[in-house]
Amino acid sequence: MCLCSAPYPVTCVTRGADLMDAGVVVLCPPDCTQWRVSVFGTGVYASVSSVCGAAVHRGVLSPSGGPVKVHKLQGRYNYMSSYAHGIQSQPLTRWSNSFSLTKPVNVPLELTSDTSTTARPAAAPPVRKPPKKPSVKKALTGGNKDCQMDIAMVIDGSNNIGQRRFNLQKNFVAKLSAMLRVGPTGPHVGVIQASDSPRTEFLLTNYTQPKELLSAIKEVAHLGGNTNTGRAILHAAESFFLQENGGRRGHPRVMMVLIDGWPSDDLEQAATLARESGINVFLVSVAKPAPEELTMVRDEDFVKKAVCRDNGFFSYLIPSWFSTNKHVKPLAQRLCSHDGLLCSKTCFNSVNIGFLIDGSSSVGEGNFQLVLDFLVGIARSFDISDVGARVGAVQFTYDQRLEFGLSDHVDKEEVVEALKRIPYMSGGTATGGAISYTMQNLFRRTGPGRNFLIVVTDGQSYDDVRIPALDAQKHGITIFSVGVAWAPMDDLRAMSSQPKDSHTFFTREFTGLDEFVPPLVRAICRDFTENN
């Protein structure tokens, strides 16, 4: 039953911006899918969109038309495109105002029930609800500052789960979100639905108020199709946590994947990408395959291959969708465990990289610029920020000059510009003294993260390199030596960390330096992984 006044008639091309009132119920005509209606976004729509077209796209309105409630929202960045219910929505970088849509029916989301998601009949007497537990009530009031995670919840939208269990799944996700205490200063939650192709239901910053989030979860429509969980993980790993999509710099990335039974596709490649991207993948398996069903399972080890680490912490089994209540709190505690999130730290966001640059006369101005271009390529490979990877640089001849420290530039583009601006010194070559200077000045106060030094030189050092290099390595600095032209291999190997072959690079021409960027970055990541 509609609890509002009579619906306000609109046309198929009426836009959200044309409506003056918030929370207005409009009456859409039939056959709007026959018009070329413009819809921008998914779940949350730019106000330039057709209201009725967006309602059909969202699944809250059939092509035959009818009433729909319009909720006005603030403007957003990156409205996402998708195809649903015969409507292809379009992407939009930014718009000043937004709206969302619901059916004009008061359907309370019951946090204390496993099954009830329907409204009471209007004629029924009032039902006294059981008092909510204090923990749940508290969860609805604000953000949990002790759980500042960005959490992607991948839900199972396959035919296998069916509509009834899909509703139970949504109810479980709502309870879990309430227990996490989502809020502007606490965890942020977004939802992706796994089906034949994944669909982003809403992004991390679309709903940061508890009531809005719970309502959005309730409105998610069941897609059906196969359980292509691997595709959904890949989709989330590639784009969901980007800053332009609402990911917060320095906040641990968590992906909780719900599977009813088993996946239809392979998870290993997608999970590898997620791990390398610093995403902590939890896999929550509900109603695991029975022994007689194992022959239908594509890969019996799918849980081990999907999770961040196969140590038991990142996998969680729930026997049935009808017994989820007791699992809400322990799962929320795992998702909020800073100490347990082993995949948050990667080589891309947890290293300190020092560049030791030969500025001697034999290099020359033109070749010096090629060296800087090479170092820019390395720097661009890392997630540089005040809470991520950090980069500093020293130039040397007989003398040394600190070009910039590890904490001087906390943005990737700032580091790139600082590297490009380094002026060429010209002079002799004293590499050993430069290593000692770098250890004492660049790496003196590094803070968290593994320390790496990349030495680039084109000639023989006039002083000893072996003792300074060993001293630096004893202080936890891994050294890569990159030689060009006349750099002697004995010096390069003497400076390099063990094993020498994987930490020593040489090219005859300065133009060949660019080829070393990918293998050198891989070598840094390999060292980081092996020592963590």
Side-chain angles (χ1 to χ4, degrees), residues 250-281:
H251 287 65
R253 300 168 177 178
V254 174
M255 190 188 310
M256 187 196 74
V257 182
L258 286 157
I259 294 185
D260 180 79
W262 58 89
S264 304
D265 60 350
D266 182 62
L267 305 187
E268 188 168 13
Q269 183 178 355
T272 299
L273 175 64
R275 281 191 292 272
E276 291 177 350
S277 303
I279 300 169
N280 297 273
V281 178

Side-chain angles (χ1 to χ4, degrees), residues 198-214:
R199 184 172 79 182
T200 298
E201 299 295 345
F202 51 87
L203 296 169
L204 292 162
T205 51
N206 285 157
Y207 304 104
T208 58
Q209 294 298 330
K211 288 184 179 179
E212 289 183 358
L213 175 63
L214 299 183

Side-chain angles (χ1 to χ4, degrees), residues 401-434:
R401 184 170 74 199
L402 179 64
E403 301 293 354
F404 58 91
L406 291 166
S407 301
D408 290 348
H409 302 292
V410 293
D411 176 86
K412 184 181 295 187
E413 289 309 312
E414 286 183 14
V415 168
V416 167
E417 290 304 313
L419 285 170
K420 290 179 178 179
R421 289 195 305 266
I422 293 176
Y424 175 47
M425 288 175 67
S426 187
T429 309
T431 315

Side-chain angles (χ1 to χ4, degrees), residues 25-48:
V25 176
V26 300
L27 182 64
C28 290
D31 300 324
C32 282
T33 52
Q34 305 302 316
W35 291 66
R36 287 191 173 181
V37 292
S38 296
V39 177
F40 298 90
T42 299
V44 174
Y45 302 93
S47 60
V48 71

Side-chain angles (χ1 to χ4, degrees), residues 120-379:
R120 286 199 310 270
V127 176
R128 185 180 297 275
K129 295 182 180 179
K132 293 181 175 67
K133 295 180 180 179
S135 60
V136 176
K137 184 175 182 180
K138 184 180 179 182
L140 290 169
T141 61
N144 181 3
K145 293 181 180 180
D146 295 326
C147 181
Q148 296 190 31
M149 315 293 182
D150 284 347
I151 304 173
M153 295 191 180
V154 179
I155 62 175
D156 190 337
S158 65
N159 286 329
N160 183 64
I161 194 171
Q163 185 64 59
R164 186 185 184 195
R165 285 182 294 175
F166 183 78
N167 288 339
L168 292 173
Q169 177 183 218
K170 289 196 298 181
N171 207 33
F172 172 66
V173 169
K175 293 177 189 176
L176 186 60
S177 299
M179 183 63 69
L180 290 169
R181 292 170 56 201
V182 169
T185 59
H188 287 180
V189 167
V191 171
I192 300 117
Q193 186 173 175
S195 180
D196 291 324
S197 295
R199 184 172 79 182
T200 298
E201 299 295 345
F202 51 87
L203 296 169
L204 292 162
T205 51
N206 285 157
Y207 304 104
T208 58
Q209 294 298 330
K211 288 184 179 179
E212 289 183 358
L213 175 63
L214 299 183
S215 179
I217 292 169
K218 184 196 128 195
E219 292 297 329
V220 173
H222 183 213
L223 282 176
N226 290 314
T227 316
N228 286 338
T229 309
R231 285 191 188 181
I233 293 174
L234 189 64
H235 168 75
E238 287 178 337
S239 61
F240 197 78
F241 294 98
L242 295 176
Q243 279 186 261
E244 54 263 37
N245 285 339
R248 293 174 291 179
R249 176 183 287 180
H251 287 65
R253 300 168 177 178
V254 174
M255 190 188 310
M256 187 196 74
V257 182
L258 286 157
I259 294 185
D260 180 79
W262 58 89
S264 304
D265 60 350
D266 182 62
L267 305 187
E268 188 168 13
Q269 183 178 355
T272 299
L273 175 64
R275 281 191 292 272
E276 291 177 350
S277 303
I279 300 169
N280 297 273
V281 178
F282 288 79
L283 196 139
V284 180
S285 182
V286 184
K288 70 175 184 177
E292 62 272 16
E293 295 175 318
L294 288 177
T295 56
M296 296 183 282
V297 180
R298 179 171 178 166
D299 184 353
E300 290 185 30
D301 291 328
F302 71 86
V303 174
K304 294 181 179 180
K305 292 177 179 178
V307 292
C308 163
R309 290 283 194 278
D310 181 26
N311 59 1
F313 182 79
F314 294 92
S315 54
Y316 198 98
L317 175 63
I318 298 177
S320 166
W321 290 112
F322 297 94
S323 60
T324 57
N325 273 352
K326 62 183 179 182
H327 300 285
V328 172
K329 186 174 181 179
L331 186 55
Q333 289 172 337
R334 289 198 196 187
L335 297 179
C336 289
S337 172
H338 284 270
D339 294 336
L341 300 182
L342 302 177
C343 287
S344 293
K345 298 293 184 182
T346 72
C347 65
F348 298 108
N349 65 20
S350 301
V351 294
N352 303 309
I353 300 176
F355 295 136
L356 184 53
I357 311 164
D358 187 344
S360 61
S361 302
S362 58
V363 175
E365 185 75 48
N367 289 333
F368 188 75
Q369 292 303 313
L370 292 175
V371 172
L372 296 183
D373 290 343
F374 164 61
L375 301 180
V376 164
I378 295 172

